Amino acid sequence: MIRILTDSTSDLSPDQCKALGVDLIPLQVHFGEETYRDGVDITNADFFARLRTADTLPHTSQINPDEFVSFFRPYLEAGDEVVGIFLSSKLSGTFQSACIAADELESKNLHLVDSCAVTFGLGLLVKMAARYRDQGMSAADIAAAVAALSPRLRLYAVVETLKYLKMGGRISAATALVGGVLGVTPIVSVKDGVVEAVGKSRGQKGAFQWMEKRLAAEPADLSLPMAYGHTDAPQAMEAIKAYIRPLCPTEDILEGPIGSVIGTHVGPGATGFAYFVKE
């Protein structure tokens, strides 16, 4: 059997994981001395309520090699093959931890992919891995196909402020200045595995129009799924869906809330979409 594994920064819900037939390993978020497993020990509503009132930014921690060994070993001992697709190695040491665990286990049945992605972009790659599995691909071919698809992934998001990305060290102070002007809506993307501020606009509608131009420049491959997500801002997600869906008329959609680990760095009020560009 082929097992597909990802981490909680894919922001796949338990129901989505069950429907796709994938397993999820949680990262952790820490408020002072309190530690919570992402998506397991704290709800999104509780997390964002605490984040909004926190005096200091919570911190997050990667999955360590021993945890990966504990997850991988039962599958391998059962004779399964594992395809592990994890968040960008430029954003976390989680992928490196998975590689260390694989070296320890010395199994040729482990196939690891650095997604160069995160949140619902990572979720899209996992969804494609499940599709490839269901089409009868081998584990090695699934990993290779996902790695080849990753450069075609595009993710754009509107954020209320860049301060959380700045505080978490995900963007530089100079880059954060783009969001410091009153009335400016920052637009961020994940490029080459790194979060970048890629645009700015006056208000949400202006941001959506900016995204429309990006879609015109790099049209979506409508034979592949799209994704929408939000950080405690479902109405904002519905607004961006209403704007983007006529431009990308597909029903093959992955959508949902963004959890505590990514929410720590992005902050509340963000929304965005991801898609694969045409070849």
Side-chain angles (χ1 to χ4, degrees):
M1 176 181 276
I2 296 174
R3 301 281 189 174
I4 297 174
L5 253 60
T6 188
D7 62 75
S8 61
T9 71
S10 63
D11 291 318
L12 293 169
S13 70
D15 287 344
Q16 288 169 331
C17 286
K18 183 177 180 180
L20 293 173
V22 304
D23 295 310
L24 187 146
I25 309 173
L27 277 74
Q28 295 182 336
V29 61
H30 310 270
F31 282 96
E33 298 299 316
E34 299 175 79
T35 298
Y36 302 92
R37 290 171 294 171
D38 185 21
V40 177
D41 301 320
I42 188 168
T43 66
N44 285 348
D46 288 343
F47 168 76
F48 284 108
R50 291 194 63 172
L51 182 64
R52 283 185 167 96
T53 59
D55 294 328
T56 58
L57 194 69
H59 69 276
T60 58
S61 58
Q62 65 196 45
I63 303 164
N64 65 49
D66 289 341
E67 290 176 285
F68 272 120
V69 168
S70 297
F71 273 96
F72 291 154
R73 181 171 278 139
Y75 296 136
L76 299 175
E77 290 180 347
D80 295 335
E81 288 197 84
V82 176
V83 178
I85 308 165
F86 304 111
L87 81 159
S88 171
S89 62
K90 294 180 181 178
L91 296 176
S92 167
T94 291
F95 179 73
Q96 183 181 14
S97 290
C99 292
I100 293 170
D103 288 343
E104 180 178 335
L105 291 167
E106 296 182 330
S107 174
K108 59 185 178 183
N109 289 332
L110 268 174
H111 311 272
L112 305 181
V113 180
D114 178 356
S115 71
C116 297
V118 72
T119 191
F120 46 88
L122 172 55
L124 275 184
L125 291 172
V126 174
K127 182 171 183 172
M128 288 304 302
R131 182 172 298 181
Y132 294 144
R133 176 203 59 208
D134 296 344
Q135 291 172 350
M137 275 193 182
S138 69
D141 286 346
I142 292 170
V146 170
L149 194 56
S150 176
R152 294 173 55 197
L153 181 65
R154 300 292 183 270
L155 183 152
Y156 298 107
V158 182
V159 297
E160 284 191 346
T161 173
L162 294 175
K163 76 172 186 178
Y164 294 96
L165 286 164
K166 176 188 172 185
M167 291 169 64
R170 292 307 187 267
I171 61 173
S172 68
T175 300
L177 288 175
V178 73
V181 180
L182 186 64
V184 167
T185 298
I187 303 163
V188 300
S189 182
V190 179
K191 299 179 68 174
D192 299 321
V194 177
V195 179
E196 292 186 2
V198 292
K200 56 185 177 180
S201 67
R202 290 289 178 180
Q204 187 183 76
K205 184 177 180 180
F208 292 172
Q209 290 171 340
W210 185 96
M211 293 175 179
E212 181 180 353
K213 292 177 182 177
R214 291 309 308 154
L215 274 168
E218 293 187 304
D221 185 338
L222 297 182
S223 69
L224 300 177
M226 293 186 65
Y228 297 88
H230 68 91
T231 53
D232 201 35
Q235 292 181 328
M237 186 183 76
E238 291 304 317
I240 198 171
K241 280 174 57 183
Y243 196 93
I244 296 297
R245 287 190 70 176
L247 307 173
C248 301
T250 177
E251 297 303 316
D252 194 357
I253 291 172
L254 184 70
E255 65 178 75
I258 294 170
S260 58
V261 169
I262 302 305
T264 294
H265 300 292
V266 175
T271 187
F273 72 104
Y275 69 98
F276 297 105
V277 299
K278 289 181 179 179
E279 287 188 286

